[in-house]
Each structure stands twice: as structure tokens, then as C-alpha cells.
Amino acid sequence: MSNDETATPTEPDTDSGADTAVEMTKVVESESAVDTEPQAAKVDREATESWWTGRSATVTARVGVAAVVCASLTTSVVLFVQNQHSNNLLRAQEQAREAACHYGPILADYDSKNLDTYFKAVLDGAVGDWKKQFESTSTELREVLTQGEVTSEVTDTQCAIRTADEDSAEAIVVIRQTITSLGTGHKPKPGQLAMVLSLRNDNGSWLVEKVNSPTPPTQAQ
């Protein structure tokens, strides 16, 4: 074999190997960066989402509790107002009934010898149209009762509320009485008087503003 034919050893391509190593290093670094950065972001995101989820649940729970409490308070207030209104109405009805039961006998209990006391008592419990009416007829009434020597005494009173609210009421009053006069020979005779009283709540005092007598007083002649 000649020297010219002698095989020359092939030298490794150092440039190519170096380039390959550099490329592999870049790939590794790139993959490392891709894996590391998203992982940290993922941890932060999960922590944030967890915090917001817990916060949202807490807020939702508090809102729910507040809604329940608010609804409960509203119901309690409504029930309280309704109960208070009912109690006020019952109290007003009873006060009106007591006033009617007190005033009815005043109208039917008099003595011709002492009419000043009678007129004063009637006017003290009157208001409005009824007060004006009684005042305008008191002179005539005084003459009739005095001339007839009339005396009336109440023996029984029955009264009930027909309609009422906190400001006004109507009451039915039935009175049994005994009457003596010149016409009865000064002998007591039984009589009955039925009337409807319209009352008004005047600053806490129930006063009579109208008197309606469906039937005239009855008495034995």
C-alpha cells in the first residue's frame, strides 16, 4: 500500500458537537424556565382563588344571616304594630262604652227643684252639635220640668258599643227610670228611655257629640 493510499483518520467535527451542546443547554434552560415560572404562578393563583372562595363564602353566609335577621325584625315589628293597634282599639272601645254608660244616666236623672246641677252635668260631658243643641233648648226645658214638677230617677242602665275606632264611637243605651210629676199625681211610674250616643275622643276624654232617641220616653200615665 502506498503512502498516498494510506487512510487519513477523520477528525471529529468539534464545531458541530459544540453547537449541539449549546442547543441542548438552551433547550434545558428553556424547559426549566417554562416549568418553574408557571408553577410559581399556579401556586399564587390557587392560593388567591382559595382566599377569594373562602372570603366569598364568608360574605355570602353573613349576607344570609343578615337577611334572616332583617326579615325576623320586620316580622316582629309588624306583629308588634298590629298587636298594639288591636290593644289600642280594644281600649278605646271600652273607654267609649264606659263613657256612654256614665252619660246615659246623667241625661235621665234630674230633679226639677235642682236643675242647675243637672244642666251642668249634661254640658260637662257634651261637645259639638249636642252641646250647642242642649244649650239652646235649656231654657225651654227648664220651664217644662219646673212647671210639671218632674223628677226622674234611673233604676237600670244597659249599654253597648255599636261601632268604634280610636277616635269615635256609637253606643246604644237603654235606661229604665221612675218618673214622678204632676201628671202622675207625684206617684212614681216606671218608664224606659232608649238612645244612641255618638261619642268623640277629645284629648283622651270621650264626650257625646250627638244624641238620637229613636223612640220617646215611655211612662205610665
Side-chain angles (χ1 to χ4, degrees), residues 72-87:
S72 178
L73 288 175
T74 301
T75 302
S76 299
V77 169
V78 170
L79 292 177
F80 173 79
V81 171
Q82 291 177 342
N83 185 61
Q84 187 69 22
H85 175 71
S86 178
N87 290 339

Side-chain angles (χ1 to χ4, degrees), residues 58-72:
T58 301
V59 171
T60 301
R62 290 180 178 177
V63 170
V65 171
V68 171
V69 172
C70 187
S72 178

Side-chain angles (χ1 to χ4, degrees), residues 79-147:
L79 292 177
F80 173 79
V81 171
Q82 291 177 342
N83 185 61
Q84 187 69 22
H85 175 71
S86 178
N87 290 339
N88 290 342
L89 180 58
L90 291 175
R91 188 180 302 110
Q93 290 175 342
E94 179 59 22
Q95 290 174 346
R97 190 191 70 83
E98 291 178 355
C101 290
H102 175 73
Y103 194 75
I106 289 176
L107 289 174
D109 196 343
Y110 48 84
D111 186 343
S112 59
K113 297 177 181 179
N114 187 22
L115 292 177
D116 288 341
T117 301
Y118 169 69
F119 289 152
K120 183 180 184 305
V122 171
L123 292 174
D124 283 347
V127 71
D129 291 342
W130 167 241
K131 187 172 185 177
K132 294 177 182 177
Q133 179 184 345
F134 190 83
E135 286 176 333
S136 65
T137 60
S138 60
T139 300
E140 181 182 353
L141 179 60
R142 182 187 293 271
E143 291 178 357
V144 171
L145 296 179
T146 301
Q147 291 176 5

Side-chain angles (χ1 to χ4, degrees), residues 30-74:
S30 175
E31 290 178 351
S32 175
V34 170
D35 290 343
T36 303
E37 291 179 0
Q39 183 65 26
K42 182 177 179 181
V43 171
D44 291 341
R45 186 179 67 255
E46 289 178 350
T48 303
E49 290 177 351
S50 177
W51 183 87
W52 276 109
T53 300
R55 182 68 175 176
S56 177
T58 301
V59 171
T60 301
R62 290 180 178 177
V63 170
V65 171
V68 171
V69 172
C70 187
S72 178
L73 288 175
T74 301

